[in-house]
Amino acid sequence: MTRITATAKTEFRIALRNRWVAMSIAMMTLFALVLSAAGSSAVGTIGADRLSVVVASLTSLAVYLVPLVALLMSFDAIAGEVERGTLPLLLTYPASRPELLLGKLLAHLAILTLAVAIGYGIAAVAALAVDADAVAGLSSLWRLMWSSVLLGATFLGIGYAISALARRSSGAAGMAIGLWLGLIVLYDLGLLAAIIADNGGYFTTKVFPAALLANPADAFRLYNLAASQATSAAAGVSGAANTIPVWASLTSILLWPIAAFAIAIAAFRKVTP
């Protein structure tokens, strides 16, 4: 445990100098403020408090932003060590490869948690300042916060796996962006096209719910929209959020970080100095 903590502290100090840290905090803060200001327009329409509307909007934002920030922080975690020639030195430490990777995960996850807490916290303060009834949405905001951290952990693990497989930062960056586009953007478009072609058949009733749960981003969105009092303020899979059991989406977002980290460890074990 001491070796993991020492690695995490070192990686945290290094990551704080990374421009992606400042950019991630700035992006979360900026978008939270914008969504908090825009949330007032829908409050009277859907009959929910301001914070619940903001949470529904933040859920849709987090699906895109949290995975992107996580991948930007992790894509060169191993490839960067290989290119700088520091991997052989790193592997001489008494910590094992899983311990080294876990230390990196804890450091990056702490930074991601900081960005999420600042962004969501500002949105909550802004909502509570103008709407006393917004306190009703605090439970949904808390749910969104810790599930966002789990979503980030999933994509940090995926980023480490990509970094180990690519072994060059440029290649890892390209793979990370391609995977983000595939899972976050193109995946849902493909499902939508399949639903239209299926016209209410087997795919729509049987395959589609399982396909949503198989994607960590969609499972995250389903879980949070199911708890929101303002699902009508969110588009996309809001209808599915009312049909897929909450326990199913919760199970998906709990298992994905473990699976992603296991894949990352397996990929890191194959990297030679």
Side-chain angles (χ1 to χ4, degrees):
M1 188 63 185
T2 303
R3 295 192 293 267
I4 296 174
T5 304
T7 302
K9 289 180 179 179
T10 302
E11 291 294 332
F12 186 81
R13 289 193 293 267
I14 294 173
L16 283 178
R17 299 194 294 267
N18 193 318
R19 65 183 181 276
W20 298 120
V21 175
M23 288 178 60
S24 63
I25 295 176
M27 285 190 295
M28 291 299 298
T29 302
L30 176 62
F31 283 115
L33 284 173
V34 171
L35 291 176
S36 180
S40 59
S41 60
V43 171
T45 304
I46 64 177
D49 64 274
R50 177 188 289 258
L51 185 55
S52 293
V53 175
V54 172
V55 167
S57 299
L58 284 174
T59 298
S60 298
L61 171 67
V63 167
Y64 294 93
L65 193 55
V66 171
L68 179 61
V69 170
L71 289 172
L72 289 176
M73 287 196 296
S74 60
F75 77 89
D76 67 340
I78 298 172
E81 301 280 4
V82 174
E83 286 192 336
R84 292 189 295 269
T86 56
L87 183 61
L89 176 62
L90 187 66
L91 294 178
T92 62
Y93 294 169
S96 64
R97 293 195 182 205
E99 288 175 331
L100 290 172
L101 207 57
L102 184 57
K104 288 178 178 288
L105 176 65
L106 292 178
H108 291 150
L109 202 56
I111 293 170
L112 185 64
T113 301
L114 177 64
V116 166
I118 292 176
Y120 294 175
I122 289 176
V125 170
L128 290 169
V130 296
D131 183 7
D133 294 332
V135 68
L138 287 177
S139 60
S140 295
L141 181 67
W142 169 244
R143 183 172 179 157
L144 175 64
M145 185 174 296
W146 64 257
S147 60
S148 294
V149 173
L150 287 178
L151 179 65
T154 296
F155 279 87
L156 284 173
I158 293 174
Y160 298 147
I162 289 174
S163 187
L165 293 172
R167 304 190 186 187
R168 294 186 64 86
S169 295
S170 57
M175 290 173 64
I177 295 301
L179 185 139
W180 180 83
L181 286 173
L183 283 181
I184 308 302
V185 180
L186 300 180
Y187 189 88
D188 286 348
L189 291 177
L191 290 182
L192 179 60
I195 289 175
I196 294 175
D198 184 57
N199 194 25
Y202 181 82
F203 179 89
T204 303
T205 57
K206 302 296 183 181
V207 180
F208 176 64
L212 286 177
L213 295 174
N215 187 327
D218 283 333
F220 162 84
R221 179 160 43 190
L222 288 171
Y223 179 68
N224 283 283
L225 289 180
S228 176
Q229 300 177 19
T231 53
S232 58
V237 297
S238 57
N242 297 321
T243 59
I244 296 177
V246 174
W247 66 263
S249 54
L250 175 60
T251 301
S252 179
I253 64 175
L254 289 175
L255 292 179
W256 258 110
I258 300 173
F261 189 67
I263 294 172
I265 292 176
F268 189 28
R269 289 187 187 277
K270 297 182 179 180
V271 177
T272 55

